[in-house]
PDB file of all heavy atoms in Angstrom:
ATOM      1  N   LEU V 465     -13.045   0.491  22.772  1.00  0.00           N
ATOM      2  CA  LEU V 465     -13.608   1.875  22.862  1.00  0.00           C
ATOM      3  C   LEU V 465     -13.948   2.288  24.298  1.00  0.00           C
ATOM      4  O   LEU V 465     -13.807   3.401  24.731  1.00  0.00           O
ATOM      5  CB  LEU V 465     -14.729   2.027  21.947  1.00  0.00           C
ATOM      6  CG  LEU V 465     -14.477   1.852  20.460  1.00  0.00           C
ATOM      7  CD1 LEU V 465     -15.728   1.998  19.557  1.00  0.00           C
ATOM      8  CD2 LEU V 465     -13.417   2.810  19.937  1.00  0.00           C
ATOM      9  N   GLN V 466     -14.491   1.294  25.025  1.00  0.00           N
ATOM     10  CA  GLN V 466     -14.803   1.567  26.533  1.00  0.00           C
ATOM     11  C   GLN V 466     -13.570   1.821  27.250  1.00  0.00           C
ATOM     12  O   GLN V 466     -13.480   2.766  28.151  1.00  0.00           O
ATOM     13  CB  GLN V 466     -15.577   0.429  27.083  1.00  0.00           C
ATOM     14  CG  GLN V 466     -17.009   0.342  26.614  1.00  0.00           C
ATOM     15  CD  GLN V 466     -17.783   1.574  26.906  1.00  0.00           C
ATOM     16  OE1 GLN V 466     -17.756   2.104  28.001  1.00  0.00           O
ATOM     17  NE2 GLN V 466     -18.571   2.030  25.902  1.00  0.00           N
ATOM     18  N   TRP V 467     -12.423   1.143  26.960  1.00  0.00           N
ATOM     19  CA  TRP V 467     -11.180   1.422  27.681  1.00  0.00           C
ATOM     20  C   TRP V 467     -10.697   2.849  27.320  1.00  0.00           C
ATOM     21  O   TRP V 467     -10.269   3.575  28.251  1.00  0.00           O
ATOM     22  CB  TRP V 467     -10.107   0.493  27.193  1.00  0.00           C
ATOM     23  CG  TRP V 467      -8.790   0.728  27.730  1.00  0.00           C
ATOM     24  CD1 TRP V 467      -8.308   0.297  28.979  1.00  0.00           C
ATOM     25  CD2 TRP V 467      -7.774   1.494  27.158  1.00  0.00           C
ATOM     26  NE1 TRP V 467      -7.031   0.752  29.115  1.00  0.00           N
ATOM     27  CE2 TRP V 467      -6.628   1.540  28.084  1.00  0.00           C
ATOM     28  CE3 TRP V 467      -7.613   2.184  25.960  1.00  0.00           C
ATOM     29  CZ2 TRP V 467      -5.469   2.204  27.758  1.00  0.00           C
ATOM     30  CZ3 TRP V 467      -6.413   2.856  25.708  1.00  0.00           C
ATOM     31  CH2 TRP V 467      -5.389   2.868  26.580  1.00  0.00           C
ATOM     32  N   ARG V 468     -10.924   3.313  26.094  1.00  0.00           N
ATOM     33  CA  ARG V 468     -10.564   4.622  25.730  1.00  0.00           C
ATOM     34  C   ARG V 468     -11.348   5.700  26.572  1.00  0.00           C
ATOM     35  O   ARG V 468     -10.768   6.704  26.976  1.00  0.00           O
ATOM     36  CB  ARG V 468     -10.724   4.880  24.254  1.00  0.00           C
ATOM     37  CG  ARG V 468     -10.230   6.238  23.793  1.00  0.00           C
ATOM     38  CD  ARG V 468      -8.789   6.486  23.972  1.00  0.00           C
ATOM     39  NE  ARG V 468      -8.346   7.848  23.636  1.00  0.00           N
ATOM     40  CZ  ARG V 468      -7.172   8.307  23.890  1.00  0.00           C
ATOM     41  NH1 ARG V 468      -6.236   7.618  24.556  1.00  0.00           N
ATOM     42  NH2 ARG V 468      -6.816   9.552  23.479  1.00  0.00           N
ATOM     43  N   LEU V 469     -12.600   5.468  26.699  1.00  0.00           N
ATOM     44  CA  LEU V 469     -13.437   6.383  27.463  1.00  0.00           C
ATOM     45  C   LEU V 469     -13.013   6.514  28.911  1.00  0.00           C
ATOM     46  O   LEU V 469     -13.054   7.584  29.476  1.00  0.00           O
ATOM     47  CB  LEU V 469     -14.910   5.996  27.437  1.00  0.00           C
ATOM     48  CG  LEU V 469     -15.693   6.297  26.110  1.00  0.00           C
ATOM     49  CD1 LEU V 469     -17.027   5.773  26.184  1.00  0.00           C
ATOM     50  CD2 LEU V 469     -15.684   7.806  25.848  1.00  0.00           C
ATOM     51  N   GLN V 470     -12.571   5.396  29.435  1.00  0.00           N
ATOM     52  CA  GLN V 470     -12.087   5.405  30.825  1.00  0.00           C
ATOM     53  C   GLN V 470     -10.839   6.254  30.986  1.00  0.00           C
ATOM     54  O   GLN V 470     -10.491   6.657  32.135  1.00  0.00           O
ATOM     55  CB  GLN V 470     -11.888   4.004  31.256  1.00  0.00           C
ATOM     56  CG  GLN V 470     -13.113   3.132  31.441  1.00  0.00           C
ATOM     57  CD  GLN V 470     -12.844   1.625  31.668  1.00  0.00           C
ATOM     58  OE1 GLN V 470     -11.659   1.339  31.948  1.00  0.00           O
ATOM     59  NE2 GLN V 470     -13.855   0.847  31.572  1.00  0.00           N
ATOM     60  N   MET V 471     -10.088   6.443  29.914  1.00  0.00           N
ATOM     61  CA  MET V 471      -8.852   7.255  29.990  1.00  0.00           C
ATOM     62  C   MET V 471      -9.115   8.726  29.856  1.00  0.00           C
ATOM     63  O   MET V 471      -8.189   9.538  29.922  1.00  0.00           O
ATOM     64  CB  MET V 471      -7.953   6.797  28.919  1.00  0.00           C
ATOM     65  CG  MET V 471      -7.519   5.332  28.936  1.00  0.00           C
ATOM     66  SD  MET V 471      -6.553   4.922  30.395  1.00  0.00           S
ATOM     67  CE  MET V 471      -5.044   5.868  30.036  1.00  0.00           C
ATOM     68  N   LYS V 472     -10.367   9.151  29.577  1.00  0.00           N
ATOM     69  CA  LYS V 472     -10.645  10.558  29.262  1.00  0.00           C
ATOM     70  C   LYS V 472     -10.413  11.393  30.529  1.00  0.00           C
ATOM     71  O   LYS V 472     -11.001  11.147  31.587  1.00  0.00           O
ATOM     72  CB  LYS V 472     -12.115  10.666  28.836  1.00  0.00           C
ATOM     73  CG  LYS V 472     -12.540  12.061  28.441  1.00  0.00           C
ATOM     74  CD  LYS V 472     -14.027  12.094  27.982  1.00  0.00           C
ATOM     75  CE  LYS V 472     -14.466  13.510  27.655  1.00  0.00           C
ATOM     76  NZ  LYS V 472     -15.808  13.571  27.113  1.00  0.00           N
ATOM     77  N   PRO V 473      -9.653  12.471  30.379  1.00  0.00           N
ATOM     78  CA  PRO V 473      -9.477  13.445  31.513  1.00  0.00           C
ATOM     79  C   PRO V 473     -10.753  14.166  31.818  1.00  0.00           C
ATOM     80  O   PRO V 473     -11.599  14.453  30.920  1.00  0.00           O
ATOM     81  CB  PRO V 473      -8.452  14.392  31.014  1.00  0.00           C
ATOM     82  CG  PRO V 473      -7.761  13.744  29.863  1.00  0.00           C
ATOM     83  CD  PRO V 473      -8.835  12.869  29.261  1.00  0.00           C
ATOM     84  N   ILE V 474     -10.941  14.478  33.079  1.00  0.00           N
ATOM     85  CA  ILE V 474     -12.162  15.159  33.525  1.00  0.00           C
ATOM     86  C   ILE V 474     -12.306  16.491  32.870  1.00  0.00           C
ATOM     87  O   ILE V 474     -13.431  16.932  32.517  1.00  0.00           O
ATOM     88  CB  ILE V 474     -12.176  15.250  35.072  1.00  0.00           C
ATOM     89  CG1 ILE V 474     -12.214  13.842  35.711  1.00  0.00           C
ATOM     90  CG2 ILE V 474     -13.353  16.095  35.559  1.00  0.00           C
ATOM     91  CD1 ILE V 474     -12.126  13.834  37.185  1.00  0.00           C
ATOM     92  N   ASP V 475     -11.185  17.188  32.701  1.00  0.00           N
ATOM     93  CA  ASP V 475     -11.288  18.588  32.218  1.00  0.00           C
ATOM     94  C   ASP V 475     -11.080  18.712  30.648  1.00  0.00           C
ATOM     95  O   ASP V 475     -10.736  19.747  30.184  1.00  0.00           O
ATOM     96  CB  ASP V 475     -10.251  19.469  32.876  1.00  0.00           C
ATOM     97  CG  ASP V 475      -8.772  18.938  32.726  1.00  0.00           C
ATOM     98  OD1 ASP V 475      -8.636  17.806  32.167  1.00  0.00           O
ATOM     99  OD2 ASP V 475      -7.829  19.643  32.998  1.00  0.00           O
ATOM    100  N   PHE V 476     -11.239  17.590  29.935  1.00  0.00           N
ATOM    101  CA  PHE V 476     -11.012  17.616  28.494  1.00  0.00           C
ATOM    102  C   PHE V 476     -12.059  18.577  27.836  1.00  0.00           C
ATOM    103  O   PHE V 476     -13.290  18.466  28.112  1.00  0.00           O
ATOM    104  CB  PHE V 476     -11.251  16.232  27.901  1.00  0.00           C
ATOM    105  CG  PHE V 476     -10.806  16.189  26.427  1.00  0.00           C
ATOM    106  CD1 PHE V 476      -9.471  16.005  26.083  1.00  0.00           C
ATOM    107  CD2 PHE V 476     -11.775  16.230  25.443  1.00  0.00           C
ATOM    108  CE1 PHE V 476      -9.107  15.958  24.782  1.00  0.00           C
ATOM    109  CE2 PHE V 476     -11.373  16.200  24.084  1.00  0.00           C
ATOM    110  CZ  PHE V 476     -10.062  16.022  23.793  1.00  0.00           C
ATOM    111  N   ASP V 477     -11.602  19.525  27.096  1.00  0.00           N
ATOM    112  CA  ASP V 477     -12.417  20.692  26.562  1.00  0.00           C
ATOM    113  C   ASP V 477     -12.657  20.430  25.091  1.00  0.00           C
ATOM    114  O   ASP V 477     -11.804  20.575  24.247  1.00  0.00           O
ATOM    115  CB  ASP V 477     -11.651  22.021  26.770  1.00  0.00           C
ATOM    116  CG  ASP V 477     -12.596  23.213  26.416  1.00  0.00           C
ATOM    117  OD1 ASP V 477     -13.727  22.982  25.834  1.00  0.00           O
ATOM    118  OD2 ASP V 477     -12.103  24.311  26.629  1.00  0.00           O
ATOM    119  N   LYS V 478     -13.932  20.105  24.730  1.00  0.00           N
ATOM    120  CA  LYS V 478     -14.226  19.915  23.349  1.00  0.00           C
ATOM    121  C   LYS V 478     -14.134  21.075  22.452  1.00  0.00           C
ATOM    122  O   LYS V 478     -13.901  21.039  21.261  1.00  0.00           O
ATOM    123  CB  LYS V 478     -15.666  19.298  23.245  1.00  0.00           C
ATOM    124  CG  LYS V 478     -15.743  17.893  23.881  1.00  0.00           C
ATOM    125  CD  LYS V 478     -17.197  17.318  23.624  1.00  0.00           C
ATOM    126  CE  LYS V 478     -17.202  15.893  24.211  1.00  0.00           C
ATOM    127  NZ  LYS V 478     -18.504  15.272  23.986  1.00  0.00           N
TER     128      LYS V 478
END
Side-chain angles (χ1 to χ4, degrees):
L465 297 178
Q466 286 302 315
W467 176 87
R468 182 61 183 173
L469 281 178
Q470 292 172 9
M471 302 294 292
K472 181 178 179 180
I474 296 175
D475 60 348
F476 189 83
D477 187 353
K478 292 185 178 180

